Amino acid sequence: MNLKDRNLVTIDDLSNGEILGLFSLATDMFDDMPGQLDVCKGKIMASLFFEPSTRTRLSFEAAMHRLGGSVITASDVGASSLAKGESISDTAKIVGSYADIIVIRHPWEGAAKVVADYAGIPVINAGDGGHQHPTQTLLDLYTIIKERHDIKGLKIALWGDLKYGRTTHSLIFALARFGADILFCPSPGLEVPAHVIEKLVNEYGGEVERLKDSARTDDNRFSIDAIYTTPNSPHQLAMMPDLSAQVELKDGVDALYVTRPQKERFTDKEQGQNLKAKYPVVNKKLLQDKVFRKTMVMHPLPRVDELAYDIDADERSMYFKQAARGVPVRMALLAALLGAKEINVPDVESPKPPVYHEYQQEPRPTCSNPRCVSIQPTETPYLKPEYKIVNTEPLTLRCVYCEHGFEPKFVASTDWHEHKLDTKKYHSADSHWAKFIHPENLIVFNSEEEAQSLGFKPSQFVGGRH
Ligand code: NCD
């Protein structure tokens, strides 16, 4: 199969079969590194890193060199035209005319999608704010498969900053798709965002069981916030609701995926809360617990204090292997997207995301995520907010850029009765009337003032459920 000219912006851009096909190619390439030196000869990769990076950038650049291609680079916002106020779309068009493929890291969520929309060449997201980091997920999955042969049925605990850790967001969706069960073990205050849970449940089925505080371990050493089980595995807690989180753990976990606190993304309030002080640490002492006897310890790196050096030599520690595997995995991806190599796609099941209606009416609500690319002053002159209607109960719109969701409070229809001013009414979003509005006619408001300023009057279905 040919992946030529495709983008990798979120992990949804590849099916399970395509991911496995890329892994086979990565292994073939690793087994014969000298044989790859002509694969991308004459091709140029632009490496645009507008946030700090060591591993991701160097492994992409090493991958392109090992394929015989060349690299052009811009890594410092201060030294590029972005500092002069250039929009992302302009940068994308320019770089798209210089290179054959773009790898981009940017602090704004959804920035990689904008580059992909405007560059005209394949684009790979190397991390967009706290949104996603799909190539890290590829090498995480590759490592799990290399070590355990399959992902289905594994129990994987995600540990640390699950709020801003973009690597965990892409990984959650991928693990769910491959049929793993996930235990969420966030540091207090850094729980998985609601929009990630919403997508997990609506698109991959399964069940998320939120645990009560009483289900946490006494010393908060391994506190579990929620458990996601895939549709194909029965849920122990659902069957035995009174049992503690330890039940989920007693058979051990296959992997502990640790992340550092992403303090550069903390809000001022979060900075003040000293979230780092409560951050759980993985060390030799913790791994002595028998539930971790066969547990792989994974980490995207860099580490700060959450991963002790005393476990580096432990055979369960995978993080240096993960980083090393980044090169062949990225070689396979670059070669495939450049059309220089085909992949063999095995016949495996891959859940298909539902097809959602797009929100079509004006005025478009502004995305409420302060880190979303769609609200940045350099981007608003050309970027129109875009949403998908991903749920009707409660009515939920998802931004196509950062994927944050929001639940508007009031709604109206463009198809108001006979188009008389008297019948131009707005309703509570949770009223039964709201459900009769066709998606293409739906207008949403965040406040009654907003609805009234556009000439709508309150219907009887405003305030309280009807
Ligand atoms: C991660 C990232 O940038 O999101 N690092 C990486 O790419 N290996 C994780 C992190 O910075 O904590």
Side-chain angles (χ1 to χ4, degrees):
M1 181 181 191
N2 202 321
L3 298 186
K4 189 171 172 352
D5 294 334
R6 298 255 298 263
N7 300 308
L8 179 58
V9 172
T10 71
I11 198 67
D12 305 345
D13 291 330
L14 291 170
S15 70
N16 288 10
E18 288 164 351
I19 290 175
L20 296 176
L22 283 169
F23 291 170
S24 305
L25 179 59
T27 301
D28 291 349
M29 288 181 151
F30 180 77
D31 290 344
D32 177 20
M33 281 297 206
Q36 313 308 318
L37 266 172
D38 281 337
V39 172
C40 290
K41 206 169 164 190
K43 300 283 184 197
I44 298 178
M45 178 186 95
S47 135
L48 311 180
F49 277 74
F50 302 123
E51 252 193 356
S53 173
T54 310
R55 265 153 301 277
T56 307
R57 176 169 166 208
L58 292 185
S59 68
F60 262 114
E61 296 186 0
M64 194 57 178
H65 286 300
R66 291 205 181 274
L67 292 168
S70 27
V71 176
I72 53 172
T73 186
S75 61
D76 178 2
V77 184
S80 75
S81 284
L82 287 183
K84 300 180 190 163
E86 182 167 71
S87 66
I88 294 182
S89 60
D90 278 1
T91 306
K93 284 183 203 159
I94 303 299
V95 179
S97 70
Y98 297 162
D100 300 292
I101 191 161
I102 294 178
V103 178
I104 168 111
R105 170 169 289 189
H106 200 284
W108 296 339
E109 294 165 17
K113 173 170 164 49
V114 178
V115 177
D117 288 346
Y118 287 88
I121 58 172
V123 171
I124 300 174
N125 180 7
D128 57 338
H131 178 217
Q132 286 217 9
H133 189 348
T135 63
Q136 177 67 43
T137 293
L138 291 182
L139 62 97
D140 296 338
L141 298 177
Y142 187 65
T143 299
I144 297 173
I145 291 175
K146 282 273 168 213
E147 304 295 327
R148 294 289 155 97
H149 308 295
D150 200 359
I151 299 173
K152 194 168 178 164
L154 295 187
K155 200 183 281 183
I156 314 261
L158 304 183
W159 172 287
D161 185 348
L162 308 189
K163 181 173 183 182
Y164 297 116
R166 56 191 172 201
T167 64
T168 63
H169 300 161
S170 333
L171 186 59
I172 286 170
F173 301 131
L175 289 175
R177 265 169 43 180
F178 277 99
D181 292 349
I182 312 170
L183 274 60
F184 298 110
C185 310
S187 185
L190 297 170
E191 289 80 16
V192 184
H195 67 275
V196 175
I197 298 282
E198 177 275 313
K199 185 167 166 177
L200 182 61
V201 174
N202 285 333
E203 298 191 9
Y204 304 108
E207 228 183 307
V208 175
E209 180 84 16
R210 285 211 172 275
L211 299 177
K212 296 185 215 79
D213 277 351
S214 58
R216 290 173 172 253
T217 55
D218 293 342
D219 56 1
N220 217 13
R221 202 173 36 108
F222 196 83
S223 66
I224 300 179
D225 167 66
I227 296 172
Y228 167 82
T229 46
T230 53
N232 40 33
S233 63
H235 194 176
Q236 290 193 21
L237 278 192
M239 292 186 291
M240 300 178 279
D242 295 337
L243 294 178
S244 82
Q246 294 296 346
V247 170
E248 286 289 332
L249 274 179
K250 81 170 187 333
D251 303 327
V253 286
D254 295 285
L256 200 56
Y257 189 93
V258 188
T259 57
R260 76 177 165 92
Q262 309 279 307
K263 63 177 186 342
E264 67 276 30
R265 301 192 211 292
F266 286 1
T267 59
D268 291 346
K269 194 165 156 227
E270 287 165 341
Q271 297 280 7
Q273 285 167 338
N274 200 10
L275 294 175
K276 266 189 82 180
K278 298 181 211 140
Y279 214 84
V281 175
V282 176
N283 55 22
K284 202 169 179 169
K285 187 162 168 274
L286 179 98
L287 291 188
Q288 275 160 3
D289 193 322
K290 66 175 189 315
V291 300
F292 299 122
R293 217 173 48 242
K294 293 186 182 154
T295 302
M296 295 184 278
V297 180
M298 302 179 71
H299 195 303
L301 300 177
R303 67 174 136 185
V304 200
D305 301 318
E306 69 289 346
L307 192 62
Y309 285 80
D310 63 7
I311 56 167
D312 286 359
D314 193 304
E315 60 178 20
R316 291 168 289 182
S317 298
M318 291 293 143
Y319 28 95
F320 294 117
K321 278 190 181 174
Q322 276 168 271
R325 286 170 177 153
V327 175
V329 168
R330 289 179 170 122
M331 284 170 73
L333 180 67
L334 288 168
L337 300 188
L338 284 166
K341 284 273 184 191
E342 302 246 319
I343 55 166
N344 294 320
V345 176
D347 187 16
V348 291
E349 237 180 273
S350 193
K352 292 217 176 9
V355 179
Y356 296 117
H357 289 284
E358 280 162 27
Y359 181 74
Q360 295 178 5
Q361 297 304 324
E362 307 288 343
R364 299 283 165 103
T366 308
C367 183
S368 57
N369 171 14
R371 294 175 307 276
C372 179
V373 68
S374 73
I375 64 158
Q376 307 304 326
T378 46
E379 315 307 312
T380 46
Y382 69 94
L383 213 62
K384 198 156 121 184
E386 307 265 1
Y387 299 92
K388 288 178 184 163
I389 304 167
V390 293
N391 213 350
T392 47
E393 280 184 71
L395 178 65
T396 313
L397 268 57
R398 185 192 293 160
C399 170
V400 302
Y401 295 102
C402 68
E403 298 197 281
H404 278 234
F406 80 101
E407 294 171 20
K409 296 200 176 47
F410 302 97
V411 296
S413 171
T414 50
D415 187 28
W416 64 81
H417 190 57
E418 290 178 354
H419 273 258
K420 290 191 194 124
L421 223 48
D422 284 8
T423 58
K424 194 177 171 183
K425 300 276 174 66
Y426 66 90
H427 324 279
S428 288
D430 63 356
S431 68
H432 83 280
W433 194 249
K435 294 176 192 61
F436 293 119
I437 302 174
H438 287 289
E440 61 273 21
N441 296 336
L442 182 73
I443 313 176
V444 302
F445 313 104
N446 277 324
S447 66
E448 296 203 53
E449 292 72 48
E450 194 185 336
Q452 287 167 13
S453 71
L454 292 164
F456 289 87
K457 295 199 191 87
S459 76
Q460 55 174 313
F461 305 118
V462 166
R465 213 172 218 289
H466 294 270

